[in-house]
Amino acid sequence: MEVSLVPVQHVDFCWDEVSSHLGKSIGTAHGRYTMDDLFEEIKRFEQHLWVVLDDSRIIAALTTRFVQYPRKRMLAGQFLGGSKIMRWRDEMLFTLEKWAKDNDCEGLEMTGRNGFEKVLGPHGWTPEYIVFEKMFKENDNG
């Protein structure tokens, strides 16, 4: 297994395969993003595209972005999709931590479903809060 940052100039070559992995994750954005939006942000390097290769096949993809808060800089995981996560999780987390430190970040953050506690917990990640949302309907006045 190999975890690799995809250079912007190579995104076009792998996008069809990568988008098939990220599609389900985009679906959980509830209209905040489309695949086209994500593609454009990656091409502008506003988000970074990572792939997991197994025998030269892309089996997973992840996007990250730098978030500059008033008092700290963080690397945030945005979208994730793929298979065999327990086989590449450790390498991905090691790689992202190094990338974050090399880019003056003070930590990593991700939002995701509750099941990620099982994946990230053994690596020192703690669930600080759960994100809930309520979307207003067009005719909802209250």
Side-chain angles (χ1 to χ4, degrees), residues 42-68:
I42 291 168
K43 292 292 283 186
R44 291 189 307 263
F45 208 58
E46 293 170 13
Q47 289 204 46
H48 325 113
L49 177 61
W50 301 87
V51 294
V52 178
L53 300 166
D54 186 10
D55 292 328
S56 300
R57 274 187 40 249
I58 297 173
I59 63 165
L62 168 76
T63 68
T64 60
R65 74 175 339 131
F66 297 119
V67 178
Q68 184 63 57

mmCIF file with all atom_site columns, all heavy atoms in Angstrom, residues 42-68:
data_model
loop_
_atom_site.group_PDB
_atom_site.id
_atom_site.type_symbol
_atom_site.label_atom_id
_atom_site.label_alt_id
_atom_site.label_comp_id
_atom_site.label_asym_id
_atom_site.label_entity_id
_atom_site.label_seq_id
_atom_site.pdbx_PDB_ins_code
_atom_site.Cartn_x
_atom_site.Cartn_y
_atom_site.Cartn_z
_atom_site.occupancy
_atom_site.B_iso_or_equiv
_atom_site.pdbx_formal_charge
_atom_site.auth_seq_id
_atom_site.auth_comp_id
_atom_site.auth_asym_id
_atom_site.auth_atom_id
_atom_site.pdbx_PDB_model_num
ATOM 1   N N   . ILE A 1 42 ? -9.601  21.267 -5.946  1.00 0.00 ? 42 ILE A N   1
ATOM 2   C CA  . ILE A 1 42 ? -8.363  20.483 -6.021  1.00 0.00 ? 42 ILE A CA  1
ATOM 3   C C   . ILE A 1 42 ? -7.441  21.069 -7.088  1.00 0.00 ? 42 ILE A C   1
ATOM 4   O O   . ILE A 1 42 ? -6.237  21.212 -6.867  1.00 0.00 ? 42 ILE A O   1
ATOM 5   C CB  . ILE A 1 42 ? -8.675  18.996 -6.292  1.00 0.00 ? 42 ILE A CB  1
ATOM 6   C CG1 . ILE A 1 42 ? -9.345  18.374 -5.057  1.00 0.00 ? 42 ILE A CG1 1
ATOM 7   C CG2 . ILE A 1 42 ? -7.417  18.236 -6.677  1.00 0.00 ? 42 ILE A CG2 1
ATOM 8   C CD1 . ILE A 1 42 ? -9.958  17.004 -5.312  1.00 0.00 ? 42 ILE A CD1 1
ATOM 9   N N   . LYS A 1 43 ? -8.003  21.434 -8.229  1.00 0.00 ? 43 LYS A N   1
ATOM 10  C CA  . LYS A 1 43 ? -7.189  22.008 -9.310  1.00 0.00 ? 43 LYS A CA  1
ATOM 11  C C   . LYS A 1 43 ? -6.560  23.342 -8.907  1.00 0.00 ? 43 LYS A C   1
ATOM 12  O O   . LYS A 1 43 ? -5.499  23.708 -9.399  1.00 0.00 ? 43 LYS A O   1
ATOM 13  C CB  . LYS A 1 43 ? -8.038  22.182 -10.582 1.00 0.00 ? 43 LYS A CB  1
ATOM 14  C CG  . LYS A 1 43 ? -8.458  20.883 -11.226 1.00 0.00 ? 43 LYS A CG  1
ATOM 15  C CD  . LYS A 1 43 ? -7.308  20.119 -11.818 1.00 0.00 ? 43 LYS A CD  1
ATOM 16  C CE  . LYS A 1 43 ? -6.891  20.731 -13.118 1.00 0.00 ? 43 LYS A CE  1
ATOM 17  N NZ  . LYS A 1 43 ? -5.867  19.982 -13.826 1.00 0.00 ? 43 LYS A NZ  1
ATOM 18  N N   . ARG A 1 44 ? -7.225  24.080 -8.007  1.00 0.00 ? 44 ARG A N   1
ATOM 19  C CA  . ARG A 1 44 ? -6.672  25.341 -7.502  1.00 0.00 ? 44 ARG A CA  1
ATOM 20  C C   . ARG A 1 44 ? -5.816  25.128 -6.247  1.00 0.00 ? 44 ARG A C   1
ATOM 21  O O   . ARG A 1 44 ? -5.335  26.074 -5.653  1.00 0.00 ? 44 ARG A O   1
ATOM 22  C CB  . ARG A 1 44 ? -7.805  26.327 -7.174  1.00 0.00 ? 44 ARG A CB  1
ATOM 23  C CG  . ARG A 1 44 ? -8.542  26.844 -8.385  1.00 0.00 ? 44 ARG A CG  1
ATOM 24  C CD  . ARG A 1 44 ? -9.507  27.975 -8.044  1.00 0.00 ? 44 ARG A CD  1
ATOM 25  N NE  . ARG A 1 44 ? -10.438 27.676 -6.974  1.00 0.00 ? 44 ARG A NE  1
ATOM 26  C CZ  . ARG A 1 44 ? -11.695 27.250 -7.144  1.00 0.00 ? 44 ARG A CZ  1
ATOM 27  N NH1 . ARG A 1 44 ? -12.164 27.057 -8.365  1.00 0.00 ? 44 ARG A NH1 1
ATOM 28  N NH2 . ARG A 1 44 ? -12.471 27.038 -6.105  1.00 0.00 ? 44 ARG A NH2 1
ATOM 29  N N   . PHE A 1 45 ? -5.647  23.889 -5.833  1.00 0.00 ? 45 PHE A N   1
ATOM 30  C CA  . PHE A 1 45 ? -4.891  23.474 -4.642  1.00 0.00 ? 45 PHE A CA  1
ATOM 31  C C   . PHE A 1 45 ? -5.462  24.069 -3.353  1.00 0.00 ? 45 PHE A C   1
ATOM 32  O O   . PHE A 1 45 ? -4.774  24.264 -2.374  1.00 0.00 ? 45 PHE A O   1
ATOM 33  C CB  . PHE A 1 45 ? -3.394  23.791 -4.786  1.00 0.00 ? 45 PHE A CB  1
ATOM 34  C CG  . PHE A 1 45 ? -2.517  22.856 -3.987  1.00 0.00 ? 45 PHE A CG  1
ATOM 35  C CD1 . PHE A 1 45 ? -2.556  21.494 -4.199  1.00 0.00 ? 45 PHE A CD1 1
ATOM 36  C CD2 . PHE A 1 45 ? -1.662  23.344 -3.019  1.00 0.00 ? 45 PHE A CD2 1
ATOM 37  C CE1 . PHE A 1 45 ? -1.748  20.621 -3.477  1.00 0.00 ? 45 PHE A CE1 1
ATOM 38  C CE2 . PHE A 1 45 ? -0.853  22.487 -2.286  1.00 0.00 ? 45 PHE A CE2 1
ATOM 39  C CZ  . PHE A 1 45 ? -0.898  21.129 -2.514  1.00 0.00 ? 45 PHE A CZ  1
ATOM 40  N N   . GLU A 1 46 ? -6.764  24.358 -3.376  1.00 0.00 ? 46 GLU A N   1
ATOM 41  C CA  . GLU A 1 46 ? -7.465  24.749 -2.157  1.00 0.00 ? 46 GLU A CA  1
ATOM 42  C C   . GLU A 1 46 ? -7.757  23.507 -1.318  1.00 0.00 ? 46 GLU A C   1
ATOM 43  O O   . GLU A 1 46 ? -7.893  23.598 -0.113  1.00 0.00 ? 46 GLU A O   1
ATOM 44  C CB  . GLU A 1 46 ? -8.762  25.483 -2.495  1.00 0.00 ? 46 GLU A CB  1
ATOM 45  C CG  . GLU A 1 46 ? -8.511  26.825 -3.145  1.00 0.00 ? 46 GLU A CG  1
ATOM 46  C CD  . GLU A 1 46 ? -9.780  27.444 -3.698  1.00 0.00 ? 46 GLU A CD  1
ATOM 47  O OE1 . GLU A 1 46 ? -10.902 26.966 -3.385  1.00 0.00 ? 46 GLU A OE1 1
ATOM 48  O OE2 . GLU A 1 46 ? -9.656  28.423 -4.459  1.00 0.00 ? 46 GLU A OE2 1
ATOM 49  N N   . GLN A 1 47 ? -7.919  22.381 -2.001  1.00 0.00 ? 47 GLN A N   1
ATOM 50  C CA  . GLN A 1 47 ? -7.976  21.080 -1.343  1.00 0.00 ? 47 GLN A CA  1
ATOM 51  C C   . GLN A 1 47 ? -6.883  20.226 -1.962  1.00 0.00 ? 47 GLN A C   1
ATOM 52  O O   . GLN A 1 47 ? -6.504  20.406 -3.112  1.00 0.00 ? 47 GLN A O   1
ATOM 53  C CB  . GLN A 1 47 ? -9.340  20.409 -1.539  1.00 0.00 ? 47 GLN A CB  1
ATOM 54  C CG  . GLN A 1 47 ? -10.433 21.086 -0.746  1.00 0.00 ? 47 GLN A CG  1
ATOM 55  C CD  . GLN A 1 47 ? -11.589 20.169 -0.457  1.00 0.00 ? 47 GLN A CD  1
ATOM 56  O OE1 . GLN A 1 47 ? -11.402 19.025 -0.047  1.00 0.00 ? 47 GLN A OE1 1
ATOM 57  N NE2 . GLN A 1 47 ? -12.794 20.678 -0.637  1.00 0.00 ? 47 GLN A NE2 1
ATOM 58  N N   . HIS A 1 48 ? -6.378  19.314 -1.153  1.00 0.00 ? 48 HIS A N   1
ATOM 59  C CA  . HIS A 1 48 ? -5.289  18.441 -1.593  1.00 0.00 ? 48 HIS A CA  1
ATOM 60  C C   . HIS A 1 48 ? -5.873  17.052 -1.800  1.00 0.00 ? 48 HIS A C   1
ATOM 61  O O   . HIS A 1 48 ? -6.615  16.556 -0.950  1.00 0.00 ? 48 HIS A O   1
ATOM 62  C CB  . HIS A 1 48 ? -4.189  18.370 -0.523  1.00 0.00 ? 48 HIS A CB  1
ATOM 63  C CG  . HIS A 1 48 ? -4.004  19.649 0.218   1.00 0.00 ? 48 HIS A CG  1
ATOM 64  N ND1 . HIS A 1 48 ? -4.306  19.790 1.556   1.00 0.00 ? 48 HIS A ND1 1
ATOM 65  C CD2 . HIS A 1 48 ? -3.605  20.865 -0.209  1.00 0.00 ? 48 HIS A CD2 1
ATOM 66  C CE1 . HIS A 1 48 ? -4.062  21.027 1.937   1.00 0.00 ? 48 HIS A CE1 1
ATOM 67  N NE2 . HIS A 1 48 ? -3.646  21.706 0.889   1.00 0.00 ? 48 HIS A NE2 1
ATOM 68  N N   . LEU A 1 49 ? -5.528  16.427 -2.899  1.00 0.00 ? 49 LEU A N   1
ATOM 69  C CA  . LEU A 1 49 ? -6.029  15.094 -3.214  1.00 0.00 ? 49 LEU A CA  1
ATOM 70  C C   . LEU A 1 49 ? -4.978  14.048 -2.870  1.00 0.00 ? 49 LEU A C   1
ATOM 71  O O   . LEU A 1 49 ? -3.836  14.129 -3.333  1.00 0.00 ? 49 LEU A O   1
ATOM 72  C CB  . LEU A 1 49 ? -6.395  15.005 -4.701  1.00 0.00 ? 49 LEU A CB  1
ATOM 73  C CG  . LEU A 1 49 ? -6.863  13.637 -5.192  1.00 0.00 ? 49 LEU A CG  1
ATOM 74  C CD1 . LEU A 1 49 ? -8.134  13.194 -4.466  1.00 0.00 ? 49 LEU A CD1 1
ATOM 75  C CD2 . LEU A 1 49 ? -7.072  13.684 -6.703  1.00 0.00 ? 49 LEU A CD2 1
ATOM 76  N N   . TRP A 1 50 ? -5.381  13.090 -2.047  1.00 0.00 ? 50 TRP A N   1
ATOM 77  C CA  . TRP A 1 50 ? -4.527  11.966 -1.654  1.00 0.00 ? 50 TRP A CA  1
ATOM 78  C C   . TRP A 1 50 ? -5.137  10.687 -2.187  1.00 0.00 ? 50 TRP A C   1
ATOM 79  O O   . TRP A 1 50 ? -6.363  10.538 -2.196  1.00 0.00 ? 50 TRP A O   1
ATOM 80  C CB  . TRP A 1 50 ? -4.454  11.873 -0.129  1.00 0.00 ? 50 TRP A CB  1
ATOM 81  C CG  . TRP A 1 50 ? -3.930  13.099 0.522   1.00 0.00 ? 50 TRP A CG  1
ATOM 82  C CD1 . TRP A 1 50 ? -4.638  14.208 0.901   1.00 0.00 ? 50 TRP A CD1 1
ATOM 83  C CD2 . TRP A 1 50 ? -2.573  13.360 0.872   1.00 0.00 ? 50 TRP A CD2 1
ATOM 84  N NE1 . TRP A 1 50 ? -3.799  15.140 1.475   1.00 0.00 ? 50 TRP A NE1 1
ATOM 85  C CE2 . TRP A 1 50 ? -2.532  14.642 1.476   1.00 0.00 ? 50 TRP A CE2 1
ATOM 86  C CE3 . TRP A 1 50 ? -1.391  12.638 0.751   1.00 0.00 ? 50 TRP A CE3 1
ATOM 87  C CZ2 . TRP A 1 50 ? -1.353  15.201 1.943   1.00 0.00 ? 50 TRP A CZ2 1
ATOM 88  C CZ3 . TRP A 1 50 ? -0.217  13.193 1.217   1.00 0.00 ? 50 TRP A CZ3 1
ATOM 89  C CH2 . TRP A 1 50 ? -0.200  14.461 1.804   1.00 0.00 ? 50 TRP A CH2 1
ATOM 90  N N   . VAL A 1 51 ? -4.298  9.754  -2.617  1.00 0.00 ? 51 VAL A N   1
ATOM 91  C CA  . VAL A 1 51 ? -4.784  8.445  -3.058  1.00 0.00 ? 51 VAL A CA  1
ATOM 92  C C   . VAL A 1 51 ? -4.043  7.350  -2.318  1.00 0.00 ? 51 VAL A C   1
ATOM 93  O O   . VAL A 1 51 ? -2.909  7.533  -1.865  1.00 0.00 ? 51 VAL A O   1
ATOM 94  C CB  . VAL A 1 51 ? -4.638  8.247  -4.587  1.00 0.00 ? 51 VAL A CB  1
ATOM 95  C CG1 . VAL A 1 51 ? -5.546  9.196  -5.347  1.00 0.00 ? 51 VAL A CG1 1
ATOM 96  C CG2 . VAL A 1 51 ? -3.194  8.385  -5.025  1.00 0.00 ? 51 VAL A CG2 1
ATOM 97  N N   . VAL A 1 52 ? -4.707  6.228  -2.209  1.00 0.00 ? 52 VAL A N   1
ATOM 98  C CA  . VAL A 1 52 ? -4.099  5.019  -1.663  1.00 0.00 ? 52 VAL A CA  1
ATOM 99  C C   . VAL A 1 52 ? -3.994  4.047  -2.817  1.00 0.00 ? 52 VAL A C   1
ATOM 100 O O   . VAL A 1 52 ? -4.998  3.729  -3.474  1.00 0.00 ? 52 VAL A O   1
ATOM 101 C CB  . VAL A 1 52 ? -4.939  4.418  -0.524  1.00 0.00 ? 52 VAL A CB  1
ATOM 102 C CG1 . VAL A 1 52 ? -4.294  3.139  -0.009  1.00 0.00 ? 52 VAL A CG1 1
ATOM 103 C CG2 . VAL A 1 52 ? -5.120  5.432  0.602   1.00 0.00 ? 52 VAL A CG2 1
ATOM 104 N N   . LEU A 1 53 ? -2.773  3.594  -3.077  1.00 0.00 ? 53 LEU A N   1
ATOM 105 C CA  . LEU A 1 53 ? -2.512  2.669  -4.181  1.00 0.00 ? 53 LEU A CA  1
ATOM 106 C C   . LEU A 1 53 ? -2.228  1.277  -3.637  1.00 0.00 ? 53 LEU A C   1
ATOM 107 O O   . LEU A 1 53 ? -1.465  1.120  -2.675  1.00 0.00 ? 53 LEU A O   1
ATOM 108 C CB  . LEU A 1 53 ? -1.314  3.145  -4.998  1.00 0.00 ? 53 LEU A CB  1
ATOM 109 C CG  . LEU A 1 53 ? -1.463  4.522  -5.638  1.00 0.00 ? 53 LEU A CG  1
ATOM 110 C CD1 . LEU A 1 53 ? -0.120  5.033  -6.119  1.00 0.00 ? 53 LEU A CD1 1
ATOM 111 C CD2 . LEU A 1 53 ? -2.447  4.458  -6.783  1.00 0.00 ? 53 LEU A CD2 1
ATOM 112 N N   . ASP A 1 54 ? -2.818  0.282  -4.257  1.00 0.00 ? 54 ASP A N   1
ATOM 113 C CA  . ASP A 1 54 ? -2.560  -1.117 -3.944  1.00 0.00 ? 54 ASP A CA  1
ATOM 114 C C   . ASP A 1 54 ? -2.272  -1.791 -5.282  1.00 0.00 ? 54 ASP A C   1
ATOM 115 O O   . ASP A 1 54 ? -3.168  -1.887 -6.132  1.00 0.00 ? 54 ASP A O   1
ATOM 116 C CB  . ASP A 1 54 ? -3.766  -1.736 -3.263  1.00 0.00 ? 54 ASP A CB  1
ATOM 117 C CG  . ASP A 1 54 ? -3.516  -3.150 -2.781  1.00 0.00 ? 54 ASP A CG  1
ATOM 118 O OD1 . ASP A 1 54 ? -2.358  -3.604 -2.805  1.00 0.00 ? 54 ASP A OD1 1
ATOM 119 O OD2 . ASP A 1 54 ? -4.491  -3.822 -2.379  1.00 0.00 ? 54 ASP A OD2 1
ATOM 120 N N   . ASP A 1 55 ? -1.032  -2.210 -5.484  1.00 0.00 ? 55 ASP A N   1
ATOM 121 C CA  . ASP A 1 55 ? -0.614  -2.776 -6.781  1.00 0.00 ? 55 ASP A CA  1
ATOM 122 C C   . ASP A 1 55 ? -0.967  -1.835 -7.933  1.00 0.00 ? 55 ASP A C   1
ATOM 123 O O   . ASP A 1 55 ? -1.562  -2.235 -8.925  1.00 0.00 ? 55 ASP A O   1
ATOM 124 C CB  . ASP A 1 55 ? -1.250  -4.151 -7.008  1.00 0.00 ? 55 ASP A CB  1
ATOM 125 C CG  . ASP A 1 55 ? -0.713  -5.186 -6.051  1.00 0.00 ? 55 ASP A CG  1
ATOM 126 O OD1 . ASP A 1 55 ? 0.465   -5.091 -5.653  1.00 0.00 ? 55 ASP A OD1 1
ATOM 127 O OD2 . ASP A 1 55 ? -1.485  -6.098 -5.676  1.00 0.00 ? 55 ASP A OD2 1
ATOM 128 N N   . SER A 1 56 ? -0.646  -0.564 -7.764  1.00 0.00 ? 56 SER A N   1
ATOM 129 C CA  . SER A 1 56 ? -0.852  0.485  -8.765  1.00 0.00 ? 56 SER A CA  1
ATOM 130 C C   . SER A 1 56 ? -2.316  0.794  -9.048  1.00 0.00 ? 56 SER A C   1
ATOM 131 O O   . SER A 1 56 ? -2.624  1.504  -9.992  1.00 0.00 ? 56 SER A O   1
ATOM 132 C CB  . SER A 1 56 ? -0.136  0.139  -10.076 1.00 0.00 ? 56 SER A CB  1
ATOM 133 O OG  . SER A 1 56 ? 1.237   0.004  -9.836  1.00 0.00 ? 56 SER A OG  1
ATOM 134 N N   . ARG A 1 57 ? -3.236  0.257  -8.263  1.00 0.00 ? 57 ARG A N   1
ATOM 135 C CA  . ARG A 1 57 ? -4.664  0.559  -8.399  1.00 0.00 ? 57 ARG A CA  1
ATOM 136 C C   . ARG A 1 57 ? -5.064  1.506  -7.281  1.00 0.00 ? 57 ARG A C   1
ATOM 137 O O   . ARG A 1 57 ? -4.679  1.318  -6.127  1.00 0.00 ? 57 ARG A O   1
ATOM 138 C CB  . ARG A 1 57 ? -5.501  -0.722 -8.260  1.00 0.00 ? 57 ARG A CB  1
ATOM 139 C CG  . ARG A 1 57 ? -5.661  -1.494 -9.539  1.00 0.00 ? 57 ARG A CG  1
ATOM 140 C CD  . ARG A 1 57 ? -6.653  -2.670 -9.396  1.00 0.00 ? 57 ARG A CD  1
ATOM 141 N NE  . ARG A 1 57 ? -7.827  -2.376 -8.587  1.00 0.00 ? 57 ARG A NE  1
ATOM 142 C CZ  . ARG A 1 57 ? -8.062  -2.922 -7.379  1.00 0.00 ? 57 ARG A CZ  1
ATOM 143 N NH1 . ARG A 1 57 ? -7.226  -3.770 -6.843  1.00 0.00 ? 57 ARG A NH1 1
ATOM 144 N NH2 . ARG A 1 57 ? -9.154  -2.608 -6.715  1.00 0.00 ? 57 ARG A NH2 1
ATOM 145 N N   . ILE A 1 58 ? -5.865  2.500  -7.587  1.00 0.00 ? 58 ILE A N   1
ATOM 146 C CA  . ILE A 1 58 ? -6.378  3.403  -6.562  1.00 0.00 ? 58 ILE A CA  1
ATOM 147 C C   . ILE A 1 58 ? -7.527  2.701  -5.847  1.00 0.00 ? 58 ILE A C   1
ATOM 148 O O   . ILE A 1 58 ? -8.534  2.348  -6.473  1.00 0.00 ? 58 ILE A O   1
ATOM 149 C CB  . ILE A 1 58 ? -6.868  4.730  -7.180  1.00 0.00 ? 58 ILE A CB  1
ATOM 150 C CG1 . ILE A 1 58 ? -5.693  5.464  -7.837  1.00 0.00 ? 58 ILE A CG1 1
ATOM 151 C CG2 . ILE A 1 58 ? -7.535  5.601  -6.114  1.00 0.00 ? 58 ILE A CG2 1
ATOM 152 C CD1 . ILE A 1 58 ? -6.088  6.706  -8.614  1.00 0.00 ? 58 ILE A CD1 1
ATOM 153 N N   . ILE A 1 59 ? -7.343  2.480  -4.536  1.00 0.00 ? 59 ILE A N   1
ATOM 154 C CA  . ILE A 1 59 ? -8.401  1.810  -3.772  1.00 0.00 ? 59 ILE A CA  1
ATOM 155 C C   . ILE A 1 59 ? -9.102  2.777  -2.808  1.00 0.00 ? 59 ILE A C   1
ATOM 156 O O   . ILE A 1 59 ? -10.119 2.418  -2.220  1.00 0.00 ? 59 ILE A O   1
ATOM 157 C CB  . ILE A 1 59 ? -7.866  0.587  -3.004  1.00 0.00 ? 59 ILE A CB  1
ATOM 158 C CG1 . ILE A 1 59 ? -6.822  0.995  -1.970  1.00 0.00 ? 59 ILE A CG1 1
ATOM 159 C CG2 . ILE A 1 59 ? -7.340  -0.464 -3.971  1.00 0.00 ? 59 ILE A CG2 1
ATOM 160 C CD1 . ILE A 1 59 ? -6.521  -0.094 -0.955  1.00 0.00 ? 59 ILE A CD1 1
ATOM 161 N N   . ALA A 1 60 ? -8.552  3.986  -2.647  1.00 0.00 ? 60 ALA A N   1
ATOM 162 C CA  . ALA A 1 60 ? -9.172  4.970  -1.769  1.00 0.00 ? 60 ALA A CA  1
ATOM 163 C C   . ALA A 1 60 ? -8.662  6.359  -2.120  1.00 0.00 ? 60 ALA A C   1
ATOM 164 O O   . ALA A 1 60 ? -7.606  6.510  -2.731  1.00 0.00 ? 60 ALA A O   1
ATOM 165 C CB  . ALA A 1 60 ? -8.856  4.653  -0.308  1.00 0.00 ? 60 ALA A CB  1
ATOM 166 N N   . ALA A 1 61 ? -9.432  7.364  -1.714  1.00 0.00 ? 61 ALA A N   1
ATOM 167 C CA  . ALA A 1 61 ? -9.038  8.749  -1.931  1.00 0.00 ? 61 ALA A CA  1
ATOM 168 C C   . ALA A 1 61 ? -9.517  9.592  -0.752  1.00 0.00 ? 61 ALA A C   1
ATOM 169 O O   . ALA A 1 61 ? -10.520 9.274  -0.112  1.00 0.00 ? 61 ALA A O   1
ATOM 170 C CB  . ALA A 1 61 ? -9.630  9.276  -3.236  1.00 0.00 ? 61 ALA A CB  1
ATOM 171 N N   . LEU A 1 62 ? -8.786  10.652 -0.495  1.00 0.00 ? 62 LEU A N   1
ATOM 172 C CA  . LEU A 1 62 ? -9.084  11.571 0.593   1.00 0.00 ? 62 LEU A CA  1
ATOM 173 C C   . LEU A 1 62 ? -8.714  12.969 0.157   1.00 0.00 ? 62 LEU A C   1
ATOM 174 O O   . LEU A 1 62 ? -7.751  13.149 -0.601  1.00 0.00 ? 62 LEU A O   1
ATOM 175 C CB  . LEU A 1 62 ? -8.246  11.193 1.828   1.00 0.00 ? 62 LEU A CB  1
ATOM 176 C CG  . LEU A 1 62 ? -8.194  12.182 2.993   1.00 0.00 ? 62 LEU A CG  1
ATOM 177 C CD1 . LEU A 1 62 ? -9.475  12.138 3.804   1.00 0.00 ? 62 LEU A CD1 1
ATOM 178 C CD2 . LEU A 1 62 ? -7.008  11.891 3.894   1.00 0.00 ? 62 LEU A CD2 1
ATOM 179 N N   . THR A 1 63 ? -9.478  13.955 0.609   1.00 0.00 ? 63 THR A N   1
ATOM 180 C CA  . THR A 1 63 ? -9.071  15.329 0.379   1.00 0.00 ? 63 THR A CA  1
ATOM 181 C C   . THR A 1 63 ? -8.835  15.999 1.735   1.00 0.00 ? 63 THR A C   1
ATOM 182 O O   . THR A 1 63 ? -9.471  15.661 2.727   1.00 0.00 ? 63 THR A O   1
ATOM 183 C CB  . THR A 1 63 ? -10.107 16.153 -0.417  1.00 0.00 ? 63 THR A CB  1
ATOM 184 O OG1 . THR A 1 63 ? -11.282 16.346 0.352   1.00 0.00 ? 63 THR A OG1 1
ATOM 185 C CG2 . THR A 1 63 ? -10.419 15.497 -1.743  1.00 0.00 ? 63 THR A CG2 1
ATOM 186 N N   . THR A 1 64 ? -7.882  16.928 1.729   1.00 0.00 ? 64 THR A N   1
ATOM 187 C CA  . THR A 1 64 ? -7.603  17.726 2.920   1.00 0.00 ? 64 THR A CA  1
ATOM 188 C C   . THR A 1 64 ? -7.541  19.191 2.499   1.00 0.00 ? 64 THR A C   1
ATOM 189 O O   . THR A 1 64 ? -7.441  19.505 1.315   1.00 0.00 ? 64 THR A O   1
ATOM 190 C CB  . THR A 1 64 ? -6.260  17.341 3.579   1.00 0.00 ? 64 THR A CB  1
ATOM 191 O OG1 . THR A 1 64 ? -5.194  17.536 2.649   1.00 0.00 ? 64 THR A OG1 1
ATOM 192 C CG2 . THR A 1 64 ? -6.272  15.908 4.076   1.00 0.00 ? 64 THR A CG2 1
ATOM 193 N N   . ARG A 1 65 ? -7.573  20.061 3.487   1.00 0.00 ? 65 ARG A N   1
ATOM 194 C CA  . ARG A 1 65 ? -7.379  21.491 3.240   1.00 0.00 ? 65 ARG A CA  1
ATOM 195 C C   . ARG A 1 65 ? -6.785  22.095 4.495   1.00 0.00 ? 65 ARG A C   1
ATOM 196 O O   . ARG A 1 65 ? -6.960  21.573 5.588   1.00 0.00 ? 65 ARG A O   1
ATOM 197 C CB  . ARG A 1 65 ? -8.671  22.177 2.850   1.00 0.00 ? 65 ARG A CB  1
ATOM 198 C CG  . ARG A 1 65 ? -9.632  22.384 3.978   1.00 0.00 ? 65 ARG A CG  1
ATOM 199 C CD  . ARG A 1 65 ? -10.899 23.192 3.653   1.00 0.00 ? 65 ARG A CD  1
ATOM 200 N NE  . ARG A 1 65 ? -10.800 24.025 2.520   1.00 0.00 ? 65 ARG A NE  1
ATOM 201 C CZ  . ARG A 1 65 ? -11.686 24.088 1.529   1.00 0.00 ? 65 ARG A CZ  1
ATOM 202 N NH1 . ARG A 1 65 ? -12.778 23.348 1.579   1.00 0.00 ? 65 ARG A NH1 1
ATOM 203 N NH2 . ARG A 1 65 ? -11.533 24.886 0.512   1.00 0.00 ? 65 ARG A NH2 1
ATOM 204 N N   . PHE A 1 66 ? -6.074  23.197 4.310   1.00 0.00 ? 66 PHE A N   1
ATOM 205 C CA  . PHE A 1 66 ? -5.563  23.939 5.450   1.00 0.00 ? 66 PHE A CA  1
ATOM 206 C C   . PHE A 1 66 ? -6.654  24.880 5.932   1.00 0.00 ? 66 PHE A C   1
ATOM 207 O O   . PHE A 1 66 ? -7.311  25.546 5.121   1.00 0.00 ? 66 PHE A O   1
ATOM 208 C CB  . PHE A 1 66 ? -4.316  24.749 5.078   1.00 0.00 ? 66 PHE A CB  1
ATOM 209 C CG  . PHE A 1 66 ? -3.159  23.892 4.661   1.00 0.00 ? 66 PHE A CG  1
ATOM 210 C CD1 . PHE A 1 66 ? -2.617  24.018 3.395   1.00 0.00 ? 66 PHE A CD1 1
ATOM 211 C CD2 . PHE A 1 66 ? -2.611  22.954 5.521   1.00 0.00 ? 66 PHE A CD2 1
ATOM 212 C CE1 . PHE A 1 66 ? -1.549  23.233 2.996   1.00 0.00 ? 66 PHE A CE1 1
ATOM 213 C CE2 . PHE A 1 66 ? -1.549  22.157 5.137   1.00 0.00 ? 66 PHE A CE2 1
ATOM 214 C CZ  . PHE A 1 66 ? -1.008  22.296 3.871   1.00 0.00 ? 66 PHE A CZ  1
ATOM 215 N N   . VAL A 1 67 ? -6.862  24.921 7.227   1.00 0.00 ? 67 VAL A N   1
ATOM 216 C CA  . VAL A 1 67 ? -7.832  25.834 7.819   1.00 0.00 ? 67 VAL A CA  1
ATOM 217 C C   . VAL A 1 67 ? -7.060  26.753 8.762   1.00 0.00 ? 67 VAL A C   1
ATOM 218 O O   . VAL A 1 67 ? -6.401  26.289 9.698   1.00 0.00 ? 67 VAL A O   1
ATOM 219 C CB  . VAL A 1 67 ? -8.928  25.082 8.601   1.00 0.00 ? 67 VAL A CB  1
ATOM 220 C CG1 . VAL A 1 67 ? -9.895  26.063 9.255   1.00 0.00 ? 67 VAL A CG1 1
ATOM 221 C CG2 . VAL A 1 67 ? -9.670  24.113 7.686   1.00 0.00 ? 67 VAL A CG2 1
ATOM 222 N N   . GLN A 1 68 ? -7.122  28.039 8.487   1.00 0.00 ? 68 GLN A N   1
ATOM 223 C CA  . GLN A 1 68 ? -6.433  29.026 9.320   1.00 0.00 ? 68 GLN A CA  1
ATOM 224 C C   . GLN A 1 68 ? -7.449  29.665 10.257  1.00 0.00 ? 68 GLN A C   1
ATOM 225 O O   . GLN A 1 68 ? -8.284  30.453 9.838   1.00 0.00 ? 68 GLN A O   1
ATOM 226 C CB  . GLN A 1 68 ? -5.751  30.095 8.459   1.00 0.00 ? 68 GLN A CB  1
ATOM 227 C CG  . GLN A 1 68 ? -4.951  31.088 9.249   1.00 0.00 ? 68 GLN A CG  1
ATOM 228 C CD  . GLN A 1 68 ? -3.789  30.438 9.993   1.00 0.00 ? 68 GLN A CD  1
ATOM 229 O OE1 . GLN A 1 68 ? -2.943  29.790 9.385   1.00 0.00 ? 68 GLN A OE1 1
ATOM 230 N NE2 . GLN A 1 68 ? -3.752  30.596 11.298  1.00 0.00 ? 68 GLN A NE2 1
#
